[in-house]
Structure formats: structure tokens, C-alpha cells
Amino acid sequence: VAKGDIEAVLKGTPGNIQAIYLAAVMEAQAGHWDVADKNLEKISAYIPRIARAFYLQAVVKEQLGQLEQSEEAARKFLARFPNDLAAYKVLARVQGAKKRPDLVIETLGKVAQSGKADAEVFDLLGRAYAATNRAQEAVASFQKAQAIAPNDVGLQTRLASARLGMGD
């Protein structure tokens, strides 16, 4: 239904900024990252005026492997919305992909202590600690993640690996 509505608006007013943004959202939700990116490029001058556009851009650029652009968009979004957990996770995933576990720890450390962290935050932190040879902290993070998501086999595997790394 939404797709039809967006297409109707774009047919009547092809340059409608909000409709193009919503089309980008819809394409991103469908996993059509290239199409979402093209839509965001069409409205690039207006992205600072749309509340969640920098976040969407960060996610799209992350999925396209354009890590520098993703990080830049995530930072711009977080400058406006400093309590957005999803944006911190995007930023941390990008930092991890850039092989910067030190920055992941810096980015998510305060989030983990805020009481707002979810399993993914603790998982990302655990991976970063493991990558920096901080096995005890990795185990502690993976345990917190597992407490939140007890059926996540990937977490269980990473926790076991971190414990093995400690000689446990």
C-alpha cells in the first residue's frame, strides 16, 4: 500500500523530497541498497533537514561497504540524536569492519554502562575486547549478551571461544 502511495506522489510531483526519502526507506527495508542509495543521492542537499535521513544513509552506506561515508553519516546523526542506540551500533559495526576495535570499545563503552545496551551492543563490545586481547572483558561482555539473548548460537560460540582464550 505504501509503495503505491509513494509512487502516486512521485508521479504527480517527481521531485517531492519527502516521497523520495520514503522511497529510500522502503527500498532499504527491502534490501535494495543501491536503489535506496540512489534515492538518497537525489535528495542529498535536504538530508540535514530530515530527522532520520543521516541514520538511513549510514545504514545504506554500511550495507554497500562504503564505510567512510557510513561513519560520517552516523556521526552526523548522533550529533543530533546522541541517545540513539541503533546509530551507535551502526557506528560500532563500521568501526569493527575498519579493523578498529579500540574505537568500538570507545563508542560502545558508555552505552554499555548506560543500562540501555542490548545483546548486540554487548556482542560487539565482546568482539572488540577479544580483538584487543582483553579476554576477561570479552567474556564478561559475551555473558551479558547471552543473558539477554540466551538462544543465540553465535553468541554462545563467541563466549566459548573467549573462555578458551583465557584457558578456561
Side-chain angles (χ1 to χ4, degrees):
V1 176
K3 183 176 184 173
D5 293 341
I6 293 167
E7 288 171 354
V9 171
L10 289 173
K11 186 175 182 180
T13 54
N16 185 298
I17 305 304
Q18 192 64 31
I20 294 169
Y21 171 72
L22 292 174
V25 170
M26 185 179 63
E27 295 297 348
Q29 289 174 341
H32 303 144
W33 306 111
D34 287 334
V35 179
D37 190 43
K38 286 182 177 107
N39 282 323
L40 288 172
E41 286 175 15
K42 289 178 189 175
I43 61 166
S44 62
Y46 300 94
I47 286 177
R49 299 182 196 171
I50 303 170
R52 293 199 58 83
F54 280 126
Y55 173 77
L56 178 62
Q57 186 176 47
V59 171
V60 169
K61 295 296 187 181
E62 175 194 14
Q63 293 299 316
L64 292 172
Q66 298 172 7
L67 302 180
E68 293 299 327
Q69 293 158 314
S70 176
E71 182 173 3
E72 180 182 339
R75 289 188 184 284
K76 286 179 181 178
F77 182 79
L78 285 167
R80 296 167 113 194
F81 302 97
N83 297 317
D84 192 283
L85 182 61
Y88 280 106
K89 291 189 290 188
V90 170
L91 180 57
R93 286 193 308 266
V94 167
Q95 292 167 331
K98 291 170 72 177
K99 308 290 188 228
R100 291 299 310 267
D102 56 316
L103 295 179
V104 174
I105 293 167
E106 183 181 311
T107 296
L108 294 180
K110 290 179 185 169
V111 174
Q113 295 171 0
S114 72
K116 297 178 182 176
D118 62 9
E120 185 180 5
V121 167
F122 289 118
D123 183 29
L124 289 166
L125 260 178
R127 293 176 195 214
Y129 286 133
T132 56
N133 297 316
R134 294 164 66 178
Q136 278 187 305
E137 290 158 298
V139 167
S141 289
F142 289 138
Q143 285 174 324
K144 289 176 183 174
Q146 188 179 31
I148 297 168
N151 298 321
D152 186 321
V153 176
L155 274 173
Q156 293 169 353
T157 303
R158 287 186 287 283
L159 175 57
S161 178
R163 285 181 170 152
L164 280 171
M166 289 177 46
D168 185 358

